Amino acid sequence: MATKDEFDSLRAEMVEKQLIQRGIHNPRVLDVMRRVPRHEFVTTELRHLAYRDCPLPIGDNQTISQPYIVALMTELVNLSGHERVLEVGTGSGYQAAVLCELAAQVYTLERFPRLAERAGRVLAELGYTNVEVHVGDGSQGLPDMGPYDAILVTAAAPALPGPLRSQLTERGGRMVLPVGDDRRQYLEVVTRMGNRWEIEQTIPVRFVPLVGRYGFMPRTGIVPDDTV
Ligand code: SAH
């Protein structure tokens, strides 16, 4: 098993080669990616692969996103520190930890109780106190805690889910999410201005499906590629 120093140097290399060389430039995002221990969010057997340039399985047929995608989504959502953020798709809790470092309060929603429970435990062990992990259908958002300055969806939606759109703050609320079918999606950045939502399409991506009322039906969605 690698030592802390070895993980630190793998993480530094990940930031240099996978993030900076691909154009991630926000210094706050790079700083956080250098610090958050990604290896703590995967099972012991996969720890040695934690800083590789790929997603990894986390159980329940789900994956922790590739480091570059986590950094890109975080950069696109453009946090300054005071925001209330909703994440849909807690998974391992890694993206939530990154958000905790850059925003005031994070709410994260996961449909699988087992993943939510494990992510909550890891986040607590690492000392994050500005995050609440909820179990439920994130395609409906978490209206009781909203509105949110930022929403980040880490599972692919067939279209922009209406409830999430309306849970953005009216003045400049920002959402980053993959939208598309089971094979290919585009990462979209949605900015709310009153009752107008500006949509910008960025790069093609491939995420596990958002399964829920405003997402895909259970079992008709895709199973991610086996990437390990
Ligand atoms: N952000 C995660 C990556 C998660 S993969 C990380 O950093 O590890 C996408 C996650 O979305 C999976 O855990 C999946 O179970 C969850 N998910 C899919 N549909 C959902 C829904 N409707 N509500 C909440 N979570 C959902």
Side-chain angles (χ1 to χ4, degrees), residues 155-177:
L160 184 56
L164 295 182
R165 221 170 74 135
S166 59
Q167 286 168 41
L168 280 176
T169 48
E170 291 194 15
R171 297 258 134 247
R174 220 166 144 83
M175 169 156 49
V176 177
L177 82 167

Side-chain angles (χ1 to χ4, degrees), residues 38 41 56 58-66 70 73 87-98 108-112 115-116 119 134-141 152-156 207-216:
R38 180 172 164 93
F41 293 88
L56 292 172
I58 54 171
D60 285 317
N61 239 334
Q62 306 301 319
T63 55
I64 177 174
S65 308
Q66 178 192 10
V70 173
M73 290 181 86
E87 180 197 22
V88 175
T90 313
S92 68
Y94 174 62
Q95 173 77 72
V98 169
T108 180
L109 258 166
E110 171 57 52
R111 65 187 277 259
F112 287 112
L115 292 177
H134 292 252
V135 175
D137 174 13
S139 75
Q140 304 184 51
L152 212 141
V153 184
T154 65
F207 277 80
V208 298
L210 179 75
V211 176
R213 181 153 171 207
Y214 297 87
F216 291 96

Side-chain angles (χ1 to χ4, degrees), residues 20-219:
I20 296 175
Q21 287 187 18
R22 288 199 186 114
I24 303 291
H25 55 268
N26 182 321
R28 296 181 69 233
V29 173
L30 292 171
D31 172 57
V32 168
M33 296 297 291
R34 265 186 210 106
R35 286 190 287 110
V36 177
R38 180 172 164 93
H39 60 277
E40 301 285 355
F41 293 88
V42 296
T43 56
T44 322
E45 309 82 71
L46 293 179
R47 254 174 214 172
H48 63 294
L49 303 175
Y51 296 102
R52 292 253 180 113
D53 194 12
C54 60
L56 292 172
I58 54 171
D60 285 317
N61 239 334
Q62 306 301 319
T63 55
I64 177 174
S65 308
Q66 178 192 10
Y68 171 66
I69 294 294
V70 173
L72 178 64
M73 290 181 86
T74 309
E75 186 164 88
L76 289 171
V77 84
N78 202 17
L79 299 168
S80 61
H82 63 271
E83 293 89 352
R84 292 163 53 77
V85 181
L86 174 67
E87 180 197 22
V88 175
T90 313
S92 68
Y94 174 62
Q95 173 77 72
V98 169
L99 295 171
C100 283
E101 297 273 357
L102 293 167
Q105 179 67 40
V106 177
Y107 300 90
T108 180
L109 258 166
E110 171 57 52
R111 65 187 277 259
F112 287 112
R114 200 160 53 139
L115 292 177
E117 193 268 323
R118 198 172 62 203
R121 200 173 56 231
V122 177
L123 288 164
E125 279 167 11
L126 291 173
Y128 292 104
T129 52
N130 58 337
V131 59
E132 281 181 21
V133 183
H134 292 252
V135 175
D137 174 13
S139 75
Q140 304 184 51
L142 195 59
D144 290 354
M145 303 295 178
Y148 304 96
D149 304 297
I151 300 179
L152 212 141
V153 184
T154 65
L160 184 56
L164 295 182
R165 221 170 74 135
S166 59
Q167 286 168 41
L168 280 176
T169 48
E170 291 194 15
R171 297 258 134 247
R174 220 166 144 83
M175 169 156 49
V176 177
L177 82 167
V179 177
D181 60 25
D182 57 346
R183 305 224 57 88
R184 180 176 263 211
Q185 309 112 27
Y186 283 88
L187 209 49
E188 292 189 353
V189 182
V190 179
T191 310
R192 179 170 185 181
M193 282 297 168
N195 284 329
R196 259 192 37 238
W197 286 264
E198 225 166 71
I199 298 175
E200 182 198 336
Q201 217 175 49
T202 70
I203 62 162
V205 285
R206 188 148 184 220
F207 277 80
V208 298
L210 179 75
V211 176
R213 181 153 171 207
Y214 297 87
F216 291 96
M217 304 269 288
R219 269 189 293 256

